Amino acid sequence: MNVAVIGTGYVGLGTAALLAHIGHTVTGIDISEEKIAMLQRAEVPIHEPGLDALLASVQSRLTWTTSYDAVAAADVVFICVGTPPGPDGTPDLQYVVSAAASIAPHLNGHTQVIVNKSTVPIGTGDYVTRLLEENSVTFHAERHAVVSNPEFLREGTALHDSLYPDRIVLGGSPDAVAHMTRLYAPLIEQTFVAPASAPRPETYTRPAVVKTTLQSAEMIKYAANAFLALKISFANEIAGLSERVGADIEEVMTGIGMDTRIGSRFLNAGLGWGGSCFGKDTQGLISAGREHNYDMPILQAAVTVNYRQRQDVLQKLIRQLRTLKGKRIGVLGMAFKPDTDDLRDAPAHDLIERLHGLGATVVAHDPIAMPRASREWAHLTYHEAGSVEQVFDRADAIIVATEWTDYRTLDWNALTPRMRRPLIIDARNIIRNPIDAQVEQIGRDAPAAEEFTMDTSL
């Protein structure tokens, strides 16, 4: 099929690469001339492992443009634009509205499916249908249908999640969903050749296909992210109590994660979630409940616990240093998670802002995200470290804010002598062996000489 993808962010680029790889002809559209120029030069504007190689391998089936003219020839049009939270937590749909209004004049006489890939509030599918109808003289309800096809990608593993998904959710009319099933047939049947950058797992067979209504598909996306956010906040809340009663949060989460009703994923205590999804989508559900006069106290508590975690990490620092005025604090990690340069709602942002406000000098480092931070965090006051060693130089304390592999494998004992005071606030629990420094972790004591190993043989 001919496919148009509106938006060249994480979702749009991943969608374009996936569809081109499984055999479709794809045109990527973005209003940013800078982004399109980069893509036309075969430069990828985001960091996602393996994405550059995959895009390069399908160049013959990919075109990049700022013009919506390609919509006229498309069988399927994906809307993959941002829906950032507004001041009250309600998703801002201005980019979705703009995309739909720009698509509408280019609709033609053949069957075309418009796909909401963006995370949108329940009811947006119907709203987009009305926008198309109002802005197109050729709109016809039997030929032009809107489908909700939410993404479930994790930044850092987006290629794997795109090519080998747990499930594909398709919400819309039966005819439109059937059209999408044909589009995704090579993905559903797994008949495509796996790229070298993302080999097919040996145990993987094929994804489940969930066919449902527009409203249910939109709710599935929000509910899934909110539940994962809740699991992380639950782990962090239990971590706080574990510290006070002498329990080890990792032992506790290992024990409960073995219960198949619970599962072990998303139970890692630490600095809390960040990124573009969990906070926004959880707040989106809360605001939807508010619109319908329905309180959602569990989700509100998950949000409260998550952002409290950032303050708790600072309190650990203050308990040790008493005052931060005149202190030099190193921050290891700026991206909200490893293997991405995404800085949206990154915990490190709040730490840097608060540390500076308390009078500290902040030196920050990230293996990938520093160039992007210099643009997007220009409002913050901190020093960029050209190397990890510079973070440790004369530091009164170090905070581990992102669990990059580069930091997991550091020779800590070689670096801590550079510090004025060897104090490490390991907010991601990555230090696994004793080091020559005072270490504070989340929900557990610092590593002892003999590491704990749970016996699961009984």
Side-chain angles (χ1 to χ4, degrees), residues 97-119:
V97 171
S98 177
S102 299
I103 289 167
H106 300 279
L107 297 178
N108 60 34
H110 72 268
T111 298
Q112 293 178 289
V113 174
I114 294 81
V115 183
N116 269 338
K117 197 75 173 174
S118 303
T119 302

Side-chain angles (χ1 to χ4, degrees), residues 236 239 270-272 304-313 442:
N236 279 324
L271 196 47
T304 300
V305 169
N306 186 69
Y307 291 103
R308 183 182 71 186
Q309 205 68 11
R310 303 179 186 187
Q311 183 60 33
D312 285 351
V313 166
I442 305 298

Side-chain angles (χ1 to χ4, degrees), residues 32 65 114 117 187 201 259 277 288 291 321 377 389-390 418:
S32 170
T65 181
I114 294 81
K117 197 75 173 174
L187 183 64
D259 188 325
C277 294
E291 289 175 8
L321 298 181
W377 288 3
E389 287 78 9
Q390 290 181 17
R418 293 173 172 266

